[in-house]
């Protein structure tokens, strides 16, 4: 039976609706964020970002609301929530899901939590940039920890997966920060492994990107 | 043959690496953003957000770097970029891809473009909130236009898909803004359709969310 960690009207709403669409049995577990339960050690072990929701499916612990939505849709093809692999409908559903999570959802969080961006005082663009850099450090630490958990050199371990290409691109984008991705111990190994990969060498060379790439 | 619209070192890097991993034939098309080519009408028709990259695969026009990555991985199972449906590896690859695009990538954009958040002057948290709301209006307009294109009531047309649950959740989150989602003509129909859907009624009721839901 699925278990969905939730708080009313949080990012659990979309997976919750899909569980109802599917008609699969599930249990809701309240994470009382008014009491800080989402930042307690027990929950952080399931969800290192301390965000809601988390889905449990047997041994699998899955975070990221949009990933949970896609996972549920794929697991239950009879519910018709995604088209077959290779169909245009499936590609477009994914495209809108990505847009919703990385653009609209990200922006709505700024509306609700503007002080996370700028603090309580007035800020300059330079200060906004520095504060972004500080938050990026926290994210790179989460990713570095994942490479410890997976034993590296890739996000899921020895096997290169689709997310590693995306991680490499973002690591490159941090290259001029005070503490770039290459200065984190596991991410250092990751980017060294990636820049030796023939696909990366060909892509970066074709784009005419000057070295060092990260 | 795939066609990938790109600019050196932009968000095309990840799909580009994956095209090389797969070994499928593809063509690169430069969108010269130094000359504003990403904001020209011809490109906006392919990519309404005016962002890079876009992938063309026959009749399919696909945007969103992370969606393109996942699409390519699914289309070429022999490349081993994602595990089989139902495997934990597949779920975790998706989870990290979502985290990278909606959290780390979104934050890195703030580092590079802090004036998009706050303008050139010093700003208060209230101003950051207002500016977020203005950007959200542009996003809701893109989504409203998609509902015109699809002929509604859902993102892909008559058939409810996984992304609609996510869209409903985010529409709700705009409910106290000056121009909430329900005030856009097509989104109005969308949310009215959604609140009558049994899955939505059950999920919102279970979470104890007071009406009106959007």
């Amino acid at each position: 039976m699925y278990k969905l960690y939730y708080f009313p009207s949080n990012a659990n709403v979309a997976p919750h609706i899909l569980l109802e669409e599917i008609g699969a049995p599930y249990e809701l577990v309240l994470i009382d964020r008014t009491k800080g339960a989402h930042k307690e050690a027990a929950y952080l072990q399931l969800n290192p970002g301390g965000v809601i929701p988390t889905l449990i499916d047997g041994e699998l612990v899955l975070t990221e609301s949009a990933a949970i939505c896609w996972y549920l849709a794929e697991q239950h093809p009879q519910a018709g929530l995604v088209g077959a692999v290779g169909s245009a409908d499936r590609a477009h559903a994914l495209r809108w899901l990505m847009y919703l999570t990385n653009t609209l959802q990200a922006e709505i969080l700024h509306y609700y939590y503007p002080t996370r961006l700028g603090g309580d005082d007035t800020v300059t663009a330079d200060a906004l940039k520095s504060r972004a850099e500080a938050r990026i450090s926290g994210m790179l630490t989460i990713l570095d920890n994942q490479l410890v958990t997976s034993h590296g050199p890739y996000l899921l371990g020895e096997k290169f997966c689709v997310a590693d290409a995306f991680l490499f691109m973002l690591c490159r984008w941090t290259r001029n920060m005070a503490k770039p991705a290459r200065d984190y111990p596991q991410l250092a190994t990751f980017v060294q492994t990636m820049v030796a990969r023939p696909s990366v060498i060909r892509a970066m060379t074709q784009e005419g990107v000057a070295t060092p790439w990260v």
Side-chain angles (χ1 to χ4, degrees), chain A:
Chain A
M1 184 156 76
Y2 292 117
K3 192 184 283 190
L4 183 66
Y5 289 82
Y6 86 110
F7 186 80
S9 190
N10 276 27
N12 39 267
V13 165
H16 192 180
I17 290 170
L18 295 178
L19 284 166
E20 285 290 340
E21 289 284 337
I22 290 162
Y26 66 92
E27 179 191 342
L28 293 176
V29 182
L30 180 69
I31 293 294
D32 192 348
R33 53 183 294 171
T34 65
K35 294 180 180 157
H38 58 316
K39 301 298 180 191
E40 283 173 10
Y43 188 69
L44 289 174
Q45 201 143 12
L46 298 175
N47 189 313
V51 292
I52 296 168
T54 302
L55 181 82
I56 310 290
D57 180 15
E59 298 290 304
L60 179 68
V61 179
L62 190 57
T63 62
E64 290 299 326
S65 177
I68 295 169
C69 287
W70 191 261
Y71 174 78
L72 289 171
E74 278 196 343
Q75 292 292 99
H76 300 276
Q78 80 293 348
L81 299 168
V82 282
V85 172
S87 66
D89 265 8
R90 184 182 181 93
H92 288 304
L94 183 59
R95 168 257 180 113
W96 287 110
L97 188 62
M98 289 295 181
Y99 178 77
L100 290 168
T101 193
N102 72 11
T103 302
L104 181 54
Q105 184 179 20
E107 197 70 80
I108 291 176
L109 293 177
H110 297 155
Y111 170 86
Y112 280 106
Y113 308 108
T115 59
R116 286 187 193 166
L117 289 175
D120 291 322
D121 298 322
T122 59
V123 286
T124 60
D126 276 352
L128 286 169
K129 184 172 175 166
S130 300
R131 292 176 65 97
E133 199 171 342
R135 291 188 300 269
I136 288 163
S137 288
M139 296 165 192
L140 293 175
T141 300
I142 284 176
L143 291 158
D144 206 63
N145 290 342
Q146 170 58 20
L147 293 168
V148 173
T149 303
S150 78
H151 303 295
Y154 301 115
L155 280 167
L156 302 188
E158 286 181 15
K159 197 162 165 24
F160 176 85
C161 84
V162 58
D164 293 305
F166 214 87
L167 177 58
F168 172 74
M169 177 175 81
L170 299 186
C171 284
R172 167 172 162 77
W173 292 356
T174 71
R175 70 193 180 284
N176 295 320
M177 295 184 185
K179 189 173 177 184
R182 66 177 179 272
D183 285 357
Y184 290 75
Q186 309 304 321
L187 285 168
T189 306
F190 169 78
V191 297
Q192 284 158 19
T193 307
M194 286 295 288
V195 296
R197 228 177 140 88
S199 63
V200 174
I201 295 168
R202 285 194 296 264
M204 299 303 276
T205 305
Q206 274 185 329
E207 294 192 13
V209 180
T211 54
W213 290 328
V214 282

